[in-house]
Amino acid sequence: MIIKVTCAIIFHNNKILAAKRSNSMPHSGYWEFPGGKIEENESPEDCLIREINEELDCLIEIKEQLPLFTHQFSDKHIELQPYICAIKSGTPRAVEHSEIKWLAKTDLLKIQWLPADVDIAKFLQSF
Ligand SMILES: Nc1nc2c([nH]c(=O)n2[C@H]2C[C@H](O)[C@@H](COP(=O)(O)OP(=O)(O)OP(=O)(O)O)O2)c(=O)[nH]1
């Protein structure tokens, strides 16, 4: 089973937003870049704007598409499409996640990311 997921690398004041998956989500306790599964008849960009509005209660502007990152879990294959984003309006708050935080690039590898996101965090070090 291949699952296509988009995620947002939201930059603000030179920091990047990380979101911790809550108890009601699979993989709870791990940090991720917020986003979610692409629905049928939805573009990846529309998906991301929708997901961020739902999850963080704010509007984002998509700036740049990054390479695709993949991860094979025991039961599913994730294709993760990250985009560099900026906040267009509102202030992000954790609606579905248990916590959000802003990290400097140099601190990105200090938290426990989902496996695919570790590669994105490493990629961002040299971005
Ligand atoms: N949102 C997000 N999901 C990620 C990341 N990295 C990663 O492996 N995943 C995985 C975890 C999940 O198996 C899947 C995304 O599922 P999700 O639960 O966030 O998606 P969703 O909001 O559409 O959820 P739902 O409608 O099924 O409840 O992708 C990431 O950085 N962000």
Side-chain angles (χ1 to χ4, degrees), residues 3 5-8 21 25-27 31-39 50-51 54-55 71 73 76 78 80 96-97 113-117 120:
I3 302 176
V5 177
T6 59
C7 68
R21 291 180 72 91
M25 298 163 129
H27 314 290
W31 291 85
E32 68 176 9
F33 298 104
K37 296 174 197 138
I38 304 172
E39 291 179 359
R50 172 183 59 76
E51 289 281 358
E54 289 170 7
E55 294 183 357
H71 183 73
F73 286 97
K76 60 194 172 199
I78 300 287
L80 191 58
E96 295 176 4
H97 293 87
W113 294 100
L114 282 174
D117 300 59
I120 300 177

Tab-separated table of all heavy atoms in Angstrom, residues 3 5-8 21 25-27 31-39 50-51 54-55 71 73 76 78 80 96-97 113-117 120, ligand 1:
chain	number	residue	atom	x	y	z
A	3	ILE	N	1.072	5.233	0.279
A	3	ILE	CA	0.296	6.370	0.777
A	3	ILE	C	1.025	7.654	0.422
A	3	ILE	O	2.201	7.823	0.774
A	3	ILE	CB	0.098	6.264	2.312
A	3	ILE	CG1	-0.606	4.950	2.634
A	3	ILE	CG2	-0.697	7.447	2.836
A	3	ILE	CD1	-0.769	4.677	4.103
A	5	VAL	N	1.610	11.501	0.862
A	5	VAL	CA	1.423	12.456	1.957
A	5	VAL	C	2.174	13.747	1.608
A	5	VAL	O	3.267	13.696	1.036
A	5	VAL	CB	1.996	11.844	3.270
A	5	VAL	CG1	1.892	12.815	4.430
A	5	VAL	CG2	1.309	10.529	3.611
A	6	THR	N	1.584	14.881	1.951
A	6	THR	CA	2.308	16.153	1.799
A	6	THR	C	2.668	16.675	3.190
A	6	THR	O	1.972	16.389	4.172
A	6	THR	CB	1.454	17.235	1.101
A	6	THR	OG1	0.285	17.459	1.873
A	6	THR	CG2	1.079	16.825	-0.300
A	7	CYS	N	3.729	17.428	3.270
A	7	CYS	CA	4.054	18.051	4.556
A	7	CYS	C	4.685	19.425	4.338
A	7	CYS	O	5.270	19.691	3.284
A	7	CYS	CB	4.918	17.142	5.427
A	7	CYS	SG	6.573	16.875	4.817
A	8	ALA	N	4.526	20.276	5.345
A	8	ALA	CA	4.949	21.673	5.244
A	8	ALA	C	6.178	21.935	6.098
A	8	ALA	O	6.199	21.600	7.288
A	8	ALA	CB	3.808	22.585	5.708
A	21	ARG	N	3.040	14.295	17.174
A	21	ARG	CA	1.804	13.529	16.963
A	21	ARG	C	1.183	13.166	18.313
A	21	ARG	O	1.873	12.762	19.238
A	21	ARG	CB	2.088	12.284	16.107
A	21	ARG	CG	2.435	12.680	14.647
A	21	ARG	CD	2.711	11.500	13.762
A	21	ARG	NE	1.525	10.727	13.427
A	21	ARG	CZ	0.761	10.938	12.357
A	21	ARG	NH1	1.034	11.907	11.505
A	21	ARG	NH2	-0.289	10.165	12.123
A	25	MET	N	-3.270	9.837	17.348
A	25	MET	CA	-2.715	9.592	16.014
A	25	MET	C	-1.808	8.360	16.035
A	25	MET	O	-1.128	8.135	17.035
A	25	MET	CB	-1.850	10.793	15.580
A	25	MET	CG	-2.578	12.111	15.447
A	25	MET	SD	-1.396	13.491	15.438
A	25	MET	CE	-1.891	14.395	14.006
A	26	PRO	N	-1.758	7.613	14.900
A	26	PRO	CA	-0.732	6.565	14.818
A	26	PRO	C	0.656	7.205	14.963
A	26	PRO	O	0.807	8.385	14.648
A	26	PRO	CB	-0.905	6.007	13.396
A	26	PRO	CG	-2.211	6.518	12.891
A	26	PRO	CD	-2.554	7.749	13.680
A	27	HIS	N	1.608	6.458	15.423
A	27	HIS	CA	2.977	6.961	15.658
A	27	HIS	C	2.981	8.117	16.660
A	27	HIS	O	3.705	9.105	16.483
A	27	HIS	CB	3.649	7.418	14.349
A	27	HIS	CG	3.506	6.491	13.195
A	27	HIS	ND1	4.151	5.266	13.142
A	27	HIS	CD2	2.795	6.577	12.042
A	27	HIS	CE1	3.831	4.663	12.001
A	27	HIS	NE2	3.017	5.434	11.329
A	31	TRP	N	7.772	13.420	16.330
A	31	TRP	CA	7.642	14.729	15.706
A	31	TRP	C	7.575	14.560	14.194
A	31	TRP	O	8.177	13.631	13.643
A	31	TRP	CB	8.825	15.617	16.089
A	31	TRP	CG	8.804	15.993	17.540
A	31	TRP	CD1	9.305	15.260	18.579
A	31	TRP	CD2	8.220	17.173	18.124
A	31	TRP	NE1	9.076	15.920	19.772
A	31	TRP	CE2	8.420	17.091	19.525
A	31	TRP	CE3	7.550	18.296	17.608
A	31	TRP	CZ2	7.981	18.085	20.402
A	31	TRP	CZ3	7.115	19.277	18.483
A	31	TRP	CH2	7.329	19.169	19.864
A	32	GLU	N	6.848	15.477	13.560
A	32	GLU	CA	6.705	15.445	12.102
A	32	GLU	C	6.595	16.870	11.589
A	32	GLU	O	6.458	17.822	12.354
A	32	GLU	CB	5.444	14.664	11.719
A	32	GLU	CG	4.148	15.374	12.131
A	32	GLU	CD	2.889	14.654	11.676
A	32	GLU	OE1	2.971	13.519	11.177
A	32	GLU	OE2	1.802	15.256	11.824
A	33	PHE	N	6.643	16.982	10.257
A	33	PHE	CA	6.276	18.224	9.606
A	33	PHE	C	4.783	18.093	9.325
A	33	PHE	O	4.351	17.084	8.754
A	33	PHE	CB	7.093	18.423	8.331
A	33	PHE	CG	8.572	18.529	8.616
A	33	PHE	CD1	9.431	17.469	8.350
A	33	PHE	CD2	9.088	19.673	9.207
A	33	PHE	CE1	10.789	17.555	8.646
A	33	PHE	CE2	10.444	19.768	9.508
A	33	PHE	CZ	11.294	18.708	9.228
A	34	PRO	N	3.978	19.070	9.754
A	34	PRO	CA	2.521	18.903	9.633
A	34	PRO	C	2.085	18.738	8.187
A	34	PRO	O	2.726	19.255	7.271
A	34	PRO	CB	1.981	20.210	10.233
A	34	PRO	CG	3.109	21.186	10.128
A	34	PRO	CD	4.363	20.383	10.255
A	35	GLY	N	0.985	18.031	7.999
A	35	GLY	CA	0.475	17.757	6.651
A	35	GLY	C	-0.444	16.562	6.726
A	35	GLY	O	-1.014	16.280	7.778
A	36	GLY	N	-0.594	15.845	5.607
A	36	GLY	CA	-1.457	14.665	5.653
A	36	GLY	C	-1.629	14.037	4.293
A	36	GLY	O	-0.959	14.397	3.327
A	37	LYS	N	-2.543	13.079	4.260
A	37	LYS	CA	-2.732	12.268	3.045
A	37	LYS	C	-3.472	13.054	1.961
A	37	LYS	O	-4.439	13.761	2.258
A	37	LYS	CB	-3.546	11.022	3.400
A	37	LYS	CG	-2.824	10.107	4.355
A	37	LYS	CD	-3.738	8.967	4.780
A	37	LYS	CE	-3.186	8.310	6.022
A	37	LYS	NZ	-4.221	7.981	7.009
A	38	ILE	N	-3.001	12.863	0.733
A	38	ILE	CA	-3.645	13.519	-0.407
A	38	ILE	C	-4.941	12.778	-0.730
A	38	ILE	O	-4.939	11.551	-0.894
A	38	ILE	CB	-2.718	13.529	-1.640
A	38	ILE	CG1	-1.382	14.195	-1.293
A	38	ILE	CG2	-3.379	14.223	-2.817
A	38	ILE	CD1	-0.321	14.091	-2.389
A	39	GLU	N	-6.038	13.513	-0.797
A	39	GLU	CA	-7.320	12.883	-1.112
A	39	GLU	C	-7.496	12.771	-2.623
A	39	GLU	O	-6.784	13.413	-3.391
A	39	GLU	CB	-8.459	13.705	-0.493
A	39	GLU	CG	-8.435	13.592	1.021
A	39	GLU	CD	-9.528	14.397	1.719
A	39	GLU	OE1	-10.319	15.081	1.035
A	39	GLU	OE2	-9.556	14.327	2.953
A	50	ARG	N	-5.076	22.744	2.859
A	50	ARG	CA	-6.219	22.251	3.644
A	50	ARG	C	-5.763	21.655	4.977
A	50	ARG	O	-6.290	21.989	6.047
A	50	ARG	CB	-6.990	21.195	2.819
A	50	ARG	CG	-8.073	20.464	3.584
A	50	ARG	CD	-8.753	19.377	2.760
A	50	ARG	NE	-7.849	18.337	2.250
A	50	ARG	CZ	-7.336	17.348	2.984
A	50	ARG	NH1	-7.611	17.263	4.271
A	50	ARG	NH2	-6.528	16.447	2.437
A	51	GLU	N	-4.756	20.777	4.906
A	51	GLU	CA	-4.295	20.103	6.127
A	51	GLU	C	-3.754	21.104	7.159
A	51	GLU	O	-4.000	20.968	8.356
A	51	GLU	CB	-3.199	19.075	5.796
A	51	GLU	CG	-3.695	17.833	5.055
A	51	GLU	CD	-4.370	16.807	5.971
A	51	GLU	OE1	-4.433	17.020	7.191
A	51	GLU	OE2	-4.848	15.789	5.439
A	54	GLU	N	-6.530	22.888	8.827
A	54	GLU	CA	-7.196	22.016	9.803
A	54	GLU	C	-6.331	21.790	11.038
A	54	GLU	O	-6.818	21.803	12.169
A	54	GLU	CB	-7.479	20.636	9.181
A	54	GLU	CG	-8.578	20.611	8.128
A	54	GLU	CD	-8.636	19.272	7.371
A	54	GLU	OE1	-7.925	18.306	7.735
A	54	GLU	OE2	-9.387	19.214	6.384
A	55	GLU	N	-5.054	21.546	10.809
A	55	GLU	CA	-4.185	21.117	11.916
A	55	GLU	C	-3.605	22.262	12.731
A	55	GLU	O	-3.325	22.109	13.917
A	55	GLU	CB	-3.010	20.282	11.365
A	55	GLU	CG	-3.450	18.961	10.770
A	55	GLU	CD	-2.286	18.099	10.288
A	55	GLU	OE1	-1.126	18.543	10.351
A	55	GLU	OE2	-2.550	16.979	9.848
A	71	HIS	N	9.434	6.234	2.905
A	71	HIS	CA	9.769	5.338	4.018
A	71	HIS	C	8.856	4.117	3.988
A	71	HIS	O	7.646	4.241	3.800
A	71	HIS	CB	9.645	6.051	5.364
A	71	HIS	CG	10.045	5.166	6.498
A	71	HIS	ND1	11.359	4.829	6.743
A	71	HIS	CD2	9.315	4.490	7.409
A	71	HIS	CE1	11.415	4.017	7.766
A	71	HIS	NE2	10.191	3.796	8.197
A	73	PHE	N	7.241	1.518	6.204
A	73	PHE	CA	6.877	1.003	7.521
A	73	PHE	C	6.553	-0.477	7.339
A	73	PHE	O	6.467	-0.958	6.209
A	73	PHE	CB	5.639	1.736	8.060
A	73	PHE	CG	5.906	3.149	8.544
A	73	PHE	CD1	5.656	4.243	7.718
A	73	PHE	CD2	6.402	3.395	9.819
A	73	PHE	CE1	5.891	5.544	8.158
A	73	PHE	CE2	6.636	4.690	10.268
A	73	PHE	CZ	6.380	5.767	9.442
A	76	LYS	N	3.041	-0.222	5.571
A	76	LYS	CA	2.697	0.766	4.535
A	76	LYS	C	3.946	1.465	4.016
A	76	LYS	O	4.961	1.545	4.719
A	76	LYS	CB	1.706	1.813	5.089
A	76	LYS	CG	2.273	2.580	6.266
A	76	LYS	CD	1.223	3.358	7.038
A	76	LYS	CE	1.867	3.920	8.291
A	76	LYS	NZ	0.951	4.298	9.314
A	78	ILE	N	5.257	5.014	2.641
A	78	ILE	CA	4.891	6.436	2.637
A	78	ILE	C	5.714	7.169	1.594
A	78	ILE	O	6.939	7.039	1.551
A	78	ILE	CB	5.176	7.063	4.029
A	78	ILE	CG1	4.372	6.374	5.126
A	78	ILE	CG2	4.911	8.575	4.018
A	78	ILE	CD1	2.903	6.676	5.130
A	80	LEU	N	6.444	10.913	0.817
A	80	LEU	CA	6.262	12.181	1.513
A	80	LEU	C	6.785	13.330	0.662
A	80	LEU	O	7.972	13.379	0.328
A	80	LEU	CB	7.045	12.086	2.832
A	80	LEU	CG	6.851	13.147	3.885
A	80	LEU	CD1	5.392	13.249	4.310
A	80	LEU	CD2	7.710	12.796	5.112
A	96	GLU	N	-4.634	19.504	16.393
A	96	GLU	CA	-4.694	18.041	16.433
A	96	GLU	C	-3.448	17.426	17.062
A	96	GLU	O	-3.487	16.316	17.576
A	96	GLU	CB	-4.878	17.488	15.006
A	96	GLU	CG	-6.206	17.903	14.401
A	96	GLU	CD	-6.388	17.451	12.954
A	96	GLU	OE1	-5.514	16.742	12.421
A	96	GLU	OE2	-7.423	17.823	12.362
A	97	HIS	N	-2.327	18.133	16.985
A	97	HIS	CA	-1.078	17.634	17.574
A	97	HIS	C	-1.071	17.921	19.077
A	97	HIS	O	-1.836	18.750	19.558
A	97	HIS	CB	0.129	18.301	16.907
A	97	HIS	CG	0.294	17.912	15.466
A	97	HIS	ND1	-0.327	18.568	14.430
A	97	HIS	CD2	1.009	16.908	14.888
A	97	HIS	CE1	-0.012	17.996	13.276
A	97	HIS	NE2	0.796	16.987	13.516
A	113	TRP	N	12.109	12.513	15.353
A	113	TRP	CA	11.262	12.605	14.160
A	113	TRP	C	10.759	11.224	13.742
A	113	TRP	O	11.416	10.209	13.999
A	113	TRP	CB	12.070	13.166	12.994
A	113	TRP	CG	12.527	14.577	13.134
A	113	TRP	CD1	13.769	15.005	13.496
A	113	TRP	CD2	11.761	15.770	12.885
A	113	TRP	NE1	13.818	16.380	13.499
A	113	TRP	CE2	12.603	16.873	13.122
A	113	TRP	CE3	10.440	16.011	12.472
A	113	TRP	CZ2	12.168	18.194	12.972
A	113	TRP	CZ3	10.012	17.325	12.320
A	113	TRP	CH2	10.863	18.394	12.564
A	114	LEU	N	9.639	11.197	13.007
A	114	LEU	CA	9.258	9.991	12.263
A	114	LEU	C	10.408	9.665	11.316
A	114	LEU	O	11.125	10.569	10.886
A	114	LEU	CB	7.994	10.265	11.435
A	114	LEU	CG	6.663	10.275	12.168
A	114	LEU	CD1	5.553	10.715	11.218
A	114	LEU	CD2	6.349	8.897	12.711
A	115	PRO	N	10.588	8.378	10.961
A	115	PRO	CA	11.781	8.002	10.184
A	115	PRO	C	11.997	8.798	8.892
A	115	PRO	O	13.119	9.251	8.634
A	115	PRO	CB	11.553	6.523	9.879
A	115	PRO	CG	10.531	6.055	10.837
A	115	PRO	CD	9.765	7.229	11.330
A	116	ALA	N	10.953	8.989	8.089
A	116	ALA	CA	11.135	9.708	6.810
A	116	ALA	C	11.553	11.148	7.060
A	116	ALA	O	12.261	11.762	6.262
A	116	ALA	CB	9.848	9.674	5.995
A	117	ASP	N	11.102	11.683	8.183
A	117	ASP	CA	11.372	13.084	8.500
A	117	ASP	C	12.807	13.309	8.961
A	117	ASP	O	13.316	14.433	8.870
A	117	ASP	CB	10.390	13.576	9.556
A	117	ASP	CG	8.954	13.465	9.070
A	117	ASP	OD1	8.528	12.347	8.754
A	117	ASP	OD2	8.287	14.496	8.974
A	120	ILE	N	14.492	14.311	5.926
A	120	ILE	CA	14.147	15.694	5.546
A	120	ILE	C	14.918	16.668	6.448
A	120	ILE	O	15.477	17.659	5.965
A	120	ILE	CB	12.632	15.948	5.661
A	120	ILE	CG1	11.862	15.003	4.744
A	120	ILE	CG2	12.316	17.406	5.330
A	120	ILE	CD1	10.351	15.122	4.844
B	1	LIG	N1	1.569	14.451	8.231
B	1	LIG	C1	2.724	13.795	8.163
B	1	LIG	N2	2.688	12.437	8.063
B	1	LIG	C2	3.868	11.809	7.994
B	1	LIG	C3	5.088	12.492	8.029
B	1	LIG	N3	6.099	11.579	7.936
B	1	LIG	C4	5.521	10.357	7.842
B	1	LIG	O1	6.098	9.275	7.749
B	1	LIG	N4	4.150	10.495	7.879
B	1	LIG	C5	3.221	9.387	7.813
B	1	LIG	C6	2.436	9.180	9.090
B	1	LIG	C7	1.115	8.656	8.601
B	1	LIG	O2	1.226	7.255	8.410
B	1	LIG	C8	0.939	9.299	7.238
B	1	LIG	C9	0.114	10.561	7.266
B	1	LIG	O3	-1.012	10.346	7.950
B	1	LIG	P1	-1.799	11.477	8.741
B	1	LIG	O4	-2.504	10.809	9.845
B	1	LIG	O5	-0.917	12.634	9.093
B	1	LIG	O6	-2.752	11.968	7.587
B	1	LIG	P2	-4.207	12.584	7.664
B	1	LIG	O7	-4.157	13.852	8.469
B	1	LIG	O8	-4.672	12.686	6.242
B	1	LIG	O9	-4.968	11.496	8.505
B	1	LIG	P3	-6.377	10.756	8.474
B	1	LIG	O10	-7.292	11.589	7.648
B	1	LIG	O11	-6.090	9.390	7.916
B	1	LIG	O12	-6.723	10.697	9.931
B	1	LIG	O13	2.262	9.655	6.803
B	1	LIG	C10	5.098	13.902	8.154
B	1	LIG	O14	6.124	14.586	8.211
B	1	LIG	N5	3.891	14.505	8.220
